[in-house]
């Protein structure tokens, strides 16, 4: 049946229903109200048949009550929420099948099997249901007509069902779209609110550029602009920025458009003479306009990073420069040297590394305090800079160590060495005049080690190590001089390192043993012994102390060695006492390295060993060298004072070989001088030898000091010394250094007659 078969009144009735329902929908009364009106109007049209209408929405897979103004409420409630499917009444099945389902007799139709009782108890006998399907294929609702009795639809009925289903679709779709729109509007509002908040807190400006660099959009809450924003729109960045910056931004923009990837770039703007640094980030924006233009745009977020940039630059500067002197630091020097060596490798240049160390600076620093020391180091830095203006770099490595890098165009090794040595000499000379601090003058001198970069293939660290080794050589030769690196120095440095390693092992394996060399009065009575350390290496045999003591001092192992000497010395004294063979007058002389007197722990350690072996300090003489006394270190004096109060005595070892002035002798509380063996050796051979012994003896008498001659090897020497009425003699002629067991035997023998108290 089609519309042409309807009579005029039927057509009018349908038209009026459509109009009423549409009016209500447009008025915005709500979907339920519009659908209830529709149901009532249809029921009115089919009222002689006692038709009842229902509209159920489909919510996911479930039926949802919408409008059924004349159906029993209990029935509607029971249907609400039922899952659609085959055999779920007429509506459940129609929505499931997506096609019209006409059940003429609920009482017998299998589709109603599960709902039959419900329907019949609510007085329902037939139900024709039609699915309402949107143009996009979505099943939205069912439109159904119920009858109290069993009944088949007429052609008119079927026509009406189609017509009203279409109307219902129109209204439901209308509400569906309205709902979608309000959801979208709410979501947009949320996004916008979030964006507004983000723009408030981030210090960025957001700019949208088109492909030719015109400002399309602009957004900033916090950004301080030099140009008012409203004047920006439509402008090209070429008009707004310096050509160079504009080109940089355009390059990044093109890159962004080409790759679609975010770009990060840094740029600088100078405004009113002030340099400002920005970090820009760009991203591609497709569909910026919704009008179908398919151009891509560039979002450019910019943030000022001047403060951070300055901090970074400052940190980078600090990382390369020494804070105290402002000179380049070690890292910087190493980088520079690396570059120099690259040039040397390419044959474009030659060069040299100079290592400088201030002689005795530690002493000055300790006695003046570090602040004064710092001031002096600053002066040293300035002088070095003055002397080496044309050099590549003067740097401070740390402490009192400096480095000078020289770059030359000379190729001959001799010429290079000559010009480098000249710089070295100038440096030495520039310290002829003393440094000044707080009105006091301080003489300093330097030791300079030079390593030449005269051939390709040299490595940074090798050159630095070689210059360092040369510097030590300059120091060893007395300081205030220049020394060039030689291969033999390298071997020496390697040997030292090797020795250090083996020493650590030897300490653990107890290969260090204290030996004792007897000391006798001129009459041959034993009054003491000097403890001398021995290292017995299983492979190399005995290693002499002169070879390992300096290395131990440099490596900081001397404290452990000294502990070994103390302990074994104390052990021996305790053993003698236990055997009741400890003479009333018997002292052990212990050699003390200068480092130890500067270190407070010495007193602590000695106290510890005395207490442990229940011994008194008057059993010990501590031998120090006169060089130690040259400085005026507070620590040294305080420590000596503390030790003297405990009863330790002090002797000056190797007297006559150092640089000390005699003035120190009477200022210092020492008890004994040991005339160095080099003078004793000359006795009977040269007049000078005897003259020195005489003068030391006379000096000691006038200062009331004991004198011991060490290194007595011959009868002749002994005889000559006998006349000088010295306090004691020590040497191979009487006894060689021996183990503690041998010394105990020696004490028991006739040759070891102890001196009487
Ligand atoms: P030193 O304190 O002047 O010790 C005297 C050195 O002369 C010892 O050498 C001793 O063996 C040697 N000597 C003794 N009588 C004669 C002799 O008649 N003729 C000759 N030619 N030499 C003789 P040694 O044991 O090789 O020690 C050398 C230096 O090593 C010592 O000189 C001392 O400065 C240092 N030393 C030794 N043991 C220690 C120690 O435990 N601690 C510290 N800090 N230094 C030590
Ligand atoms: Mg000694
Ligand atoms: Mg000596």
């Amino acid at each position: 049946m089609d519309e042409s078969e309807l009579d005029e009144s039927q057509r009018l009735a349908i038209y009026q229903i459509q109009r009423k329902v549409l009016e209500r929908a447009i008025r915005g009364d709500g979907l339920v109200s519009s659908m209830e009106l529709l149901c009532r109007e249809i029921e009115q049209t089919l009222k002689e048949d006692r038709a009842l209408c229902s509209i159920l929405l489909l919510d996911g897979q479930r039926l949802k009550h919408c409008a059924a103004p004349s159906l029993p409420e209990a029935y509607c409630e029971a249907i609400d929420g039922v899952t659609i499917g085959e055999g779920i009444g007429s509506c459940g099945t129609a929505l499931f099948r997506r096609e019209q389902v006409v059940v003429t007799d609920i009482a017998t139709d299998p589709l109603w099997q599960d709902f039959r009782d419900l329907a019949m108890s609510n007085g329902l006998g037939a139900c024709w249901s039609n699915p309402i399907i949107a143009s996009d294929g979505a099943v939205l609702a069912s439109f159904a007509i119920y009858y109290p009795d069993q009944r088949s639809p007429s052609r008119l009925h079927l026509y009406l069902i189609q017509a009203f289903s279409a109307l219902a679709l129109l209204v439901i779709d209308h509400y569906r779209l309205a709902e979608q729109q309000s959801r979208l509007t709410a979501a947009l509002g949320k996004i916008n609110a979030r964006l507004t908040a983000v723009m408030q807190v981030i210090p960025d400006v957001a700019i949208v550029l088109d492909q030719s660099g015109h400002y399309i959009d602009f957004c900033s809450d916090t950004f301080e602009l030099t140009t008012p924003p409203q004047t920006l729109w439509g402008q090209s960045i070429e008009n707004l920025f310096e050509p160079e910056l504009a080109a940089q931004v355009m390059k990044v923009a093109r890159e962004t458009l080409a790759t679609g990837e975010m770009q990060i770039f840094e740029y600088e703007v100078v405004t009113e003479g002030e340099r400002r640094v920005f970090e820009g980030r760009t991203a591609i924006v497709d569909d910026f306009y919704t009008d179908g233009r398919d151009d891509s745009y560039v979002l450019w977020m910019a943030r000022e990073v001047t403060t951070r940039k300055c901090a970074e630059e400052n940190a980078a500067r600090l990382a390369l420069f020494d804070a105290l002197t402002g000179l380049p630091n070690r890292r910087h020097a190493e980088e520079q040297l690396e570059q120099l060596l690259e040039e040397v490798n390419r044959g474009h240049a030659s060069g040299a590394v100079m290592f400088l160390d201030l002689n005795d600076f530690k002493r000055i620093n300790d006695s003046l305090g570090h602040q004064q020391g710092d001031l002096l180091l600053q002066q040293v830095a300035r002088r070095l800079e003055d002397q080496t203006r044309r050099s590549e770099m003067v740097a401070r490595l740390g402490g009192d160590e400096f480095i000078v890098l020289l770059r030359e165009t000379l190729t001959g090794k001799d010429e290079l060495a000559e010009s480098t040595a000249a710089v070295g000499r100038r440096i030495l000379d520039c310290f002829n005049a003393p440094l000044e601090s707080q009105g006091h003058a301080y003489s300093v001198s330097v030791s300079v080690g030079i390593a030449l970069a005269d051939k390709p293939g040299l490595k940074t660290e090798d050159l630095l190590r070689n210059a360092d080794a040369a510097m030590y050589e300059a120091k060893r030769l007395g300081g205030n001089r220049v020394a060039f690196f030689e291969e033999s120095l390298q071997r020496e440095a390697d040997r030292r390192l090797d020795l250090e390693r083996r020493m650590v092992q030897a300490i653990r394996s107890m290969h260090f043993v204290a030996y004792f060399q007897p000391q006798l009065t001129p009459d041959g009575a034993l009054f003491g012994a000097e403890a001398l350390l021995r290292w017995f290496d299983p492979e190399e045999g005995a290693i002499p102390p002169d070879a390992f003591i300096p290395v131990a001092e440099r490596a900081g192992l001397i404290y452990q060695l000294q502990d070994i000497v103390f302990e074994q010395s104390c052990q021996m004294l305790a053993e003698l006492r236990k055997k009741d063979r400890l003479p009333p007058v018997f002292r052990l002389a212990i050699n003390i390295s200068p480092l130890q007197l500067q270190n407070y722990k010495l007193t602590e350690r000695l106290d510890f060993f005395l207490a442990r072996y229940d011994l008194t300090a008057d059993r010990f003489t501590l031998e120090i060298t006169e060089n130690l006394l040259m400085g005026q270190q507070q620590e040294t004096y305080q420590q000596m004072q503390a030790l003297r109060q405990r009863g330790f005595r002090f002797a000056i070892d190797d007297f006559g070989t150092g640089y000390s002035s005699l003035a120190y002798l009477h200022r210092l509380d020492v008890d004994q001088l040991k005339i160095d063996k080099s003078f004793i050796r000359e006795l009977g051979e040269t007049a000078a030898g005897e003259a020195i012994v005489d003068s030391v003896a006379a000096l000691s008498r006038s200062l009331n000091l004991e004198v011991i001659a060490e290194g007595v090897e011959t009868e002749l020497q002994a005889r000559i010394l006998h006349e000088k009425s010295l306090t004691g003699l020590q040497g191979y002629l009487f006894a060689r250094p021996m183990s503690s067991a041998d010394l105990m035997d020696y004490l028991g023998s006739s040759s070891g007659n102890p001196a009487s108290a």
Side-chain angles (χ1 to χ4, degrees):
M1 178 166 179
D2 60 30
E3 203 185 326
S4 57
E5 295 174 58
L6 296 174
D7 63 28
E8 201 49 35
S9 65
Q10 284 170 323
R11 224 180 270 151
L12 192 67
I14 292 171
Y15 167 73
Q16 273 176 346
I17 293 173
Q18 282 175 341
R19 203 198 48 168
K20 276 189 206 163
V21 172
L22 286 176
E23 264 174 12
R24 183 164 293 194
I26 288 162
R27 230 166 50 202
D29 276 6
L31 176 65
V32 173
S33 158
S34 308
M35 290 297 99
E36 280 183 346
L37 176 68
L38 175 67
C39 290
R40 276 209 198 85
E41 290 296 328
I42 297 168
E43 285 167 0
Q44 188 62 35
T45 312
L46 303 174
K47 71 171 178 285
E48 58 271 33
D49 298 340
R50 292 191 291 144
L52 304 163
C53 277
S54 139
I55 291 182
L56 289 167
L57 298 178
L58 184 62
D59 181 13
Q61 289 296 296
R62 287 174 187 280
L63 299 171
K64 190 174 154 205
H65 175 77
C66 176
S70 312
L71 279 178
E73 216 165 285
Y75 178 78
C76 292
E77 268 170 28
I79 295 295
D80 194 32
V82 166
T83 304
I84 61 166
E86 194 62 26
I88 307 295
S90 305
C91 294
T93 311
L95 290 176
F96 182 71
R97 290 185 189 163
R98 304 167 67 94
E99 65 184 31
Q100 195 174 60
V101 171
V102 174
V103 171
T104 53
D105 187 4
I106 290 175
T108 57
D109 198 294
L111 291 181
W112 278 85
Q113 194 175 348
D114 293 346
F115 296 89
R116 186 166 295 133
D117 292 346
L118 175 71
M120 304 207 39
S121 64
N122 281 287
L124 304 172
C127 178
W128 319 325
S129 181
N130 202 43
I132 297 174
I133 300 174
S135 54
D136 61 4
V139 183
L140 303 180
S142 64
F143 170 64
I145 301 179
Y146 288 85
Y147 287 95
D149 317 307
Q150 64 175 85
R151 177 184 293 253
S152 310
S154 65
R155 290 182 65 230
L156 176 67
H157 284 137
L158 291 175
Y159 174 79
L160 289 176
I161 287 170
Q162 286 305 334
F164 291 127
S165 290
L167 179 62
L169 170 63
L170 202 67
V171 175
I172 291 170
D173 228 20
H174 167 76
Y175 280 103
R176 192 169 69 122
L177 288 175
E179 201 179 303
Q180 257 174 22
Q181 195 177 2
S182 75
R183 265 206 308 270
L184 275 177
T185 310
L188 261 178
K190 205 163 127 189
I191 290 170
N192 199 37
R194 206 183 287 167
L195 205 68
T196 309
V198 168
M199 287 314 290
Q200 266 168 16
V201 293
I202 62 166
D204 297 42
V205 58
I207 297 160
V208 179
L209 294 179
D210 71 8
Q211 304 201 2
S212 55
H214 290 90
Y215 274 57
I216 299 302
D217 197 7
F218 174 88
C219 169
S220 162
D221 276 1
T222 50
F223 210 72
E224 270 180 50
L225 284 173
T226 43
T227 326
Q230 57 273 18
T231 63
L232 291 172
W233 270 275
Q235 291 244 44
S236 154
I237 57 164
E238 272 155 16
N239 298 335
L240 292 169
F241 291 125
E242 295 289 314
E244 215 172 289
L245 177 56
Q248 188 192 355
V249 176
M250 279 316 292
K251 186 167 170 270
V252 175
R254 276 193 296 275
E255 181 96 13
T256 312
L257 289 166
T259 61
E261 279 167 14
M262 183 184 78
Q263 309 288 321
I264 302 180
F265 62 112
E266 225 172 65
Y267 58 95
E268 291 183 15
V269 180
V270 177
T271 46
E272 291 159 14
E274 199 189 329
R275 168 180 170 254
R276 296 171 71 186
V277 188
F278 295 87
E279 184 189 275
R281 289 167 184 240
T282 53
I284 195 161
V285 189
D286 293 321
D287 306 321
F288 182 73
Y289 290 110
T290 49
D291 59 4
R293 284 183 249 185
D294 60 356
D295 290 349
S296 288
Y297 296 83
V298 175
L299 172 70
W300 167 22
M301 300 282 287
R303 166 181 304 202
E304 177 155 12
V305 293
T306 312
T307 318
R308 192 193 77 198
K309 192 74 191 163
C310 287
E312 276 173 12
E313 284 169 0
N314 212 17
R317 207 179 50 76
L318 280 181
L320 291 179
F321 288 87
D322 168 47
L324 176 65
T325 60
L327 291 180
N329 63 12
R330 176 186 289 271
R331 206 177 112 199
H332 200 170
E334 283 177 359
E335 283 173 11
Q336 190 81 7
L337 178 57
E338 209 145 294
Q339 282 177 19
L340 176 64
L341 290 184
E342 269 173 32
E343 282 195 73
V344 174
N345 279 344
R346 286 200 299 267
H348 294 168
S350 60
V353 177
M354 283 185 167
F355 242 77
L356 283 87
D357 188 274
L358 299 183
N359 300 325
D360 251 354
F361 182 74
K362 185 171 167 14
R363 183 173 57 78
I364 298 177
N365 201 36
D366 285 350
S367 55
L368 291 182
H370 289 248
Q371 243 175 340
Q372 286 298 312
D374 283 355
L375 288 175
L376 292 182
L377 283 173
Q378 286 168 346
Q379 290 183 39
V380 169
R382 296 294 84 77
R383 283 198 193 180
L384 289 177
E385 276 185 322
D386 287 346
Q387 289 313 312
T388 52
R389 279 199 195 291
R390 293 203 334 271
S391 71
E392 278 298 274
M393 182 182 270
V394 182
R396 176 171 176 234
L397 298 186
D400 59 346
E401 287 189 339
F402 294 84
I403 191 177
V404 177
L405 300 184
L406 296 175
R407 185 185 179 283
E408 296 281 1
T409 43
L410 304 167
T411 43
K413 182 175 177 174
D414 291 346
E415 284 172 292
L416 179 63
E418 190 36 57
S419 76
T420 312
V423 176
R425 280 194 297 274
R426 273 215 313 277
I427 290 174
L428 294 184
D429 290 348
C430 85
F431 290 103
N432 285 343
L435 301 175
E436 270 172 42
S437 170
Q438 291 188 330
H440 292 283
Y442 296 94
S443 294
V444 293
S445 61
V446 293
S447 300
V448 180
I450 300 175
L452 297 178
D454 55 342
K455 54 175 186 272
L458 290 164
K459 289 207 182 73
T460 309
E461 58 273 21
D462 295 339
L463 224 57
L464 288 172
R465 205 188 43 227
N466 294 352
D468 186 45
M471 193 270 292
Y472 267 103
E473 181 63 6
K475 259 192 188 305
R476 200 186 64 78
L477 295 171
N480 195 20
R481 68 177 65 217
V482 176
F484 278 89
F485 171 75
E486 285 164 30
E487 293 296 322
S488 60
L489 287 181
Q490 181 57 51
R491 281 196 295 279
E492 182 53 30
D494 290 347
R495 212 187 75 79
R496 267 204 307 269
L497 261 183
D498 179 56
L499 212 58
E500 240 177 76
R501 263 197 306 273
R502 280 165 46 208
M503 212 181 293
V504 172
Q505 193 54 47
I507 291 173
R508 261 188 235 130
S509 317
M510 306 215 283
H511 290 160
F512 284 98
V513 180
Y515 265 44
F516 301 92
Q517 185 177 34
Q519 295 175 324
L520 309 160
T521 64
D523 302 333
L526 181 80
F527 69 89
E530 179 178 5
L532 294 160
L533 192 56
R534 295 287 174 265
W535 176 3
F536 295 107
D537 186 74
E539 281 162 29
E540 215 174 295
I543 300 172
D546 290 329
F548 67 78
I549 296 280
V551 180
E553 283 175 345
R554 260 181 83 177
L557 293 169
I558 190 73
Y559 308 106
Q560 295 180 49
L561 294 186
Q562 205 68 68
D563 272 2
I564 294 174
V565 176
F566 288 149
E567 171 119 62
Q568 296 185 4
S569 299
C570 290
Q571 261 169 2
M572 190 189 63
L573 290 176
E575 182 89 13
L576 283 171
R577 183 181 54 199
K578 200 169 133 201
K579 293 184 175 156
D580 215 10
R581 280 168 48 196
L582 182 62
V585 178
F586 185 80
R587 281 206 177 88
L588 283 185
I590 310 256
N591 293 285
I592 300 292
S593 145
L595 286 176
Q596 290 174 284
L597 266 181
Q598 288 159 21
N599 184 316
Y600 276 115
K601 279 217 179 98
L602 177 63
T603 315
E604 224 172 79
R605 295 309 286 162
L606 286 170
D607 283 347
F608 170 78
F609 286 113
L610 290 187
R612 183 168 186 181
Y613 291 94
D614 191 22
L615 292 165
T616 48
D618 58 7
R619 287 284 179 187
F620 295 91
T621 302
L622 304 178
E623 291 189 9
I624 54 178
T625 56
E626 48 190 333
N627 290 351
L628 171 78
L629 304 173
M630 274 169 62
Q632 299 174 326
Q633 282 123 318
Q634 276 304 310
E635 285 95 332
T636 311
Y637 281 132
Q638 282 168 1
Q639 181 120 245
M640 277 179 78
Q641 224 53 54
L643 289 165
R644 283 188 66 82
Q645 272 163 17
R646 282 166 171 72
F648 287 101
R649 289 152 46 93
F650 278 90
I652 297 188
D653 202 355
D654 306 340
F655 187 74
T657 56
Y659 304 98
S660 76
S661 102
L662 293 176
Y664 286 111
L665 280 182
H666 89 108
R667 269 217 271 136
L668 268 172
D669 287 329
V670 294
D671 309 272
Q672 190 183 79
L673 301 181
K674 291 185 82 177
I675 306 175
D676 190 61
K677 50 183 175 286
S678 59
F679 304 118
I680 306 302
R681 196 180 304 133
E682 289 183 28
L683 285 181
E685 291 178 11
T686 64
E690 196 166 341
I692 288 174
V693 174
D694 280 339
S695 56
V696 175
L699 179 76
S700 313
R701 263 194 301 278
S702 64
L703 291 174
N704 209 13
L705 301 175
E706 296 178 355
V707 193
I708 292 188
E710 65 177 350
V712 184
E713 290 183 350
T714 66
E715 292 288 353
L716 176 65
Q717 289 163 356
R719 243 193 343 268
I720 297 172
L721 288 168
H722 204 262
E723 295 157 13
K724 315 285 180 203
S725 51
L726 305 182
T727 322
L729 304 171
Q730 180 184 345
Y732 293 168
L733 177 67
F734 313 108
R736 288 189 170 254
M738 56 187 84
S739 69
S740 65
D742 288 347
L743 185 81
M744 286 194 232
D745 290 348
Y746 180 88
L747 263 170
S749 74
S750 55
S751 50
N753 270 344
S756 50

